[in-house]
Amino acid sequence: MPVDELDTRILRLLLEQPRTSLREYARILGVARGTLQARLDRLERDGVITGTAPALSPAALGHPVLAFVHIEVTQGHLDEVGDALAAVPEIVEAFSITGGGDLLARVVARDNAHLEDIVQKLISMPGVVRTRTEVALRERVSHRMLPLVESIGRSARG
């Protein structure tokens, strides 16, 4: 089910003011708390809202190096390698991809030597054929959802 204008306003508030109470959200939106709760429940049930955990900074946690590792996998071993990646704490995300490689992992490390150790661990995993690593120099656009939500909201109004 697509989001409507009220859903868009709710999502915007959640993104801009994540620590505000439901009562305050309802007041700001001018809707009953029950209406807000029903909308939130539906957005969660539909998979639009996928979590409420705080955003954490790997750099502030002592892992300032960010790299993207392309992983080529032996045919038929994608699930096994994916499961093995989940056991490496420095891999914060991994995706099956098309193009150069089969998997793309977002990896954080304490420094370049630590990154090399992680890559060596990946290379030694059964089913991994080769890797290619790209180190991020500077974040140009941080993870964001608000512009997308606003764009969807404009479409819902039009």
Side-chain angles (χ1 to χ4, degrees):
M1 174 181 208
V3 297
D4 63 15
E5 188 174 351
L6 178 56
D7 293 333
T8 301
R9 292 174 53 216
I10 292 168
L11 294 171
R12 179 185 187 108
L13 270 178
L14 289 173
L15 292 169
E16 291 180 335
Q17 301 176 35
R19 297 179 64 130
T20 301
S21 69
L22 288 181
R23 176 177 288 139
E24 182 62 12
Y25 286 145
R27 186 194 66 73
I28 292 168
L29 293 166
V31 299
R33 189 181 180 285
T35 300
L36 174 62
Q37 187 64 60
R39 291 293 185 116
L40 289 171
D41 291 345
R42 182 182 51 79
L43 290 167
E44 287 180 12
R45 192 175 49 254
D46 291 350
V48 174
I49 297 174
T50 58
T52 58
L56 304 178
S57 165
L61 291 169
H63 288 67
V65 176
L66 170 62
F68 298 92
V69 181
H70 297 261
I71 304 166
E72 188 177 322
V73 176
T74 304
Q75 198 163 14
H77 290 84
L78 193 61
D79 289 339
E80 295 165 34
V81 174
D83 292 343
L85 294 179
V88 180
E90 295 87 357
I91 295 179
V92 294
E93 289 181 299
F95 302 91
S96 300
I97 60 168
T98 62
D102 300 298
L103 295 165
L104 178 64
R106 183 172 168 220
V107 180
V108 296
R110 292 184 302 272
D111 53 35
N112 288 343
H114 183 219
L115 176 59
E116 182 182 10
D117 293 343
I118 296 165
V119 171
Q120 291 301 319
K121 184 187 298 188
L122 299 178
I123 291 170
S124 69
M125 288 180 177
V128 173
V129 175
R130 73 178 50 86
T131 66
R132 181 173 53 88
T133 303
E134 298 168 348
V135 176
L137 300 176
R138 180 180 300 158
E139 184 176 68
R140 298 295 179 164
V141 177
S142 61
H143 180 79
R144 64 200 184 135
M145 294 302 297
L146 188 54
L148 177 63
V149 167
E150 289 175 338
S151 173
I152 293 168
R154 283 190 297 275
S155 296
R157 286 189 296 269

